[in-house]
């Protein structure tokens, strides 16, 4: 009994010494002033010094260790933080347009947020830093296809406007300027006197206005390039305008543009849209075939159209986290001689469903976690911060 009582006394003394030695860990959360950073900045560029937050306590600065709050955040992958100096540097190239396309940031205001732990033996601070990614003109205007054909009847009225695809610029769509360049070295001025470009004020389309009468017997084909200029870069589209000798009717779509929304879990085989064009001719001249026009690889394109009915069907699974919208054209062409093609624009927005599980991260003080067991001292004060929990979900 005396031995047991002695052992208990020793244990109590050790426990009291443990309580006297251990000090409570204090935690604070601080939001730092946001900073701006140009996209495509050089790898290794230093963008922020965290030690400036602790400039008033220079003696303690050397004891602080810095690290990211959790590793699973996609924002952290672009930066690296020096654990000793607190210097934040660029780890890999930042492309603002890629951030928007992958939903890593908000496209209206491209913002990356870093959450960083600054820890000492007595304190753990959580620092939040917003980094605004500024856009630069680093993208070339691109047309959705490289060549396009327009067919006009020779008796087309002056002032008629035929549509063709416009270019897209991920930097700034509104500042594009278009002009016509003739590919006919002998009659360069003739094209500029016959056609002009018109802004149709519609998405993904421009207009080619006819300025003077056409004559199939004099000229059957106008070959030109349409140049899109954003001030630094130029994109081009080869445009061929065929002048038709016949007076046949041409197909017309019920709508020039179709817009639908589709959930990402829509079953394969679903008929998602019925495109219809009509032709006032008879027989083969009124029999219309439909074709999807896209530059996307066929093996990756998730839609197909019935050639005769115009029904568009889903043939591959959709994934909102991979692609949020699809833009393409549908061509309608009759089966008569000198068939004329017309085009309708299709826009399909993919809607998100809750198909991603949340990721949960825990941040524990190192000296409170042993073999995956979190220890809490007794008689802790109420509202004492114990550890940090963060949740991330890839869904919108």
């Amino acid at each position: 009994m005396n031995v047991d009582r002695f052992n208990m006394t020793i244990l109590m003394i050790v426990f009291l010494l443990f309580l006297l030695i251990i000090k409570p860990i204090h935690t604070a959360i601080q939001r730092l002033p946001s900073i701006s950073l140009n996209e495509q900045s050089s790898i290794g560029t230093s963008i922020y010094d965290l030690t400036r937050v602790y400039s008033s306590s220079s003696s303690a600065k050397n004891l602080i260790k810095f690290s990211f709050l959790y590793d699973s955040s996609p924002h952290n992958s672009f930066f690296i933080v020096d654990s000793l100096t607190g210097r934040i540097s660029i780890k890999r190239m930042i492309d603002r347009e890629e951030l928007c396309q992958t939903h890593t940031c908000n496209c209206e205001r491209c913002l990356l947020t870093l959450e960083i732990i600054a820890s000492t033996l007595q304190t753990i601070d959580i620092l939040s830093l917003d980094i605004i990614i500024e856009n630069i003109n680093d993208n070339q205007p691109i047309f959705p296809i490289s060549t396009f054909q327009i067919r006009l009847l020779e008796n087309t009225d002056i002032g008629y406007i035929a549509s063709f695809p416009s270019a897209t610029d991920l930097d700034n769509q509104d500042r594009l300027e278009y002009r016509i360049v003739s590919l006919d070295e002998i009659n360069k001025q003739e094209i500029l006197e016959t056609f002009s470009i018109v802004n149709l004020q519609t998405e993904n389309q421009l207009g080619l206005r006819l300025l003077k009468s056409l004559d199939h017997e004099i000229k059957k084909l106008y070959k030109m390039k349409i140049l899109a200029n954003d001030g630094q870069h130029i994109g081009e589209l080869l445009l061929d305008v065929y002048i038709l000798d016949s007076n046949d009717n041409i197909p017309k779509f019920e709508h020039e543009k179709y817009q639908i929304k589709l959930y990402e879990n829509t079953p394969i085989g679903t008929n998602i849209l019925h495109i219809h064009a009509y032709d006032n001719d008879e027989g083969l001249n009124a029999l219309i075939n439909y074709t999807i026009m896209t530059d996307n690889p066929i093996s990756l394109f998730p839609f197909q159209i019935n050639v005769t009915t115009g029904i568009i069907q889903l043939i591959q699974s959709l994934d909102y986290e991979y692609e949020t919208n699809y833009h393409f054209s549908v061509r309608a062409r009759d089966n008569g001689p000198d068939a004329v093609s017309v085009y309708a624009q299709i826009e399909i927005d993919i809607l998100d469903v809750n198909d991603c599980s949340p990721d949960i991260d825990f941040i524990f003080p190192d000296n409170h976690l042993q073999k995956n067991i979190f220890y809490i001292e007794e008689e802790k004060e109420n509202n004492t911060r114990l550890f940090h929990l963060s949740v991330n979900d890839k869904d919108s």
Side-chain angles (χ1 to χ4, degrees), residues 106-147:
N106 185 329
C107 292
E108 294 182 2
R109 186 168 183 259
C110 195
L111 188 71
L112 300 179
T113 300
L114 302 183
E115 292 182 327
I116 299 164
I117 298 176
S119 61
T120 67
L121 294 177
Q122 291 81 29
T123 64
I124 294 180
D125 293 343
I126 298 177
L127 310 177
S128 179
L129 175 64
D130 288 340
I131 304 173
I132 302 170
I133 306 302
E134 301 290 351
N135 187 36
I136 63 173
N137 189 7
D138 61 329
N139 288 281
Q140 177 181 345
I142 299 176
F143 287 91
I145 53 180
S146 57
T147 61

Side-chain angles (χ1 to χ4, degrees), residues 53 102 115 120 142 159 186 224 241 289 293 297 320 352-353 378:
V53 181
T102 57
E115 292 182 327
T120 67
I142 299 176
I186 300 177
M224 66 191 81
V241 181
N289 290 339
M293 308 295 292
Y320 175 87
D352 191 22
V353 297
E378 65 177 350

Side-chain angles (χ1 to χ4, degrees), residues 163-178:
S163 63
F164 64 93
S166 63
T168 56
D169 190 323
L170 296 177
D171 293 315
N172 190 339
Q173 184 69 24
D174 296 332
R175 67 182 175 207
L176 292 182
E177 295 183 358
Y178 296 89

Side-chain angles (χ1 to χ4, degrees), residues 316-329:
Q316 295 182 21
S317 298
L318 301 172
D319 189 348
Y320 175 87
E321 285 72 32
Y322 175 76
E323 191 69 59
T324 60
N325 55 67
Y326 293 88
H327 297 269
F328 56 94
S329 300

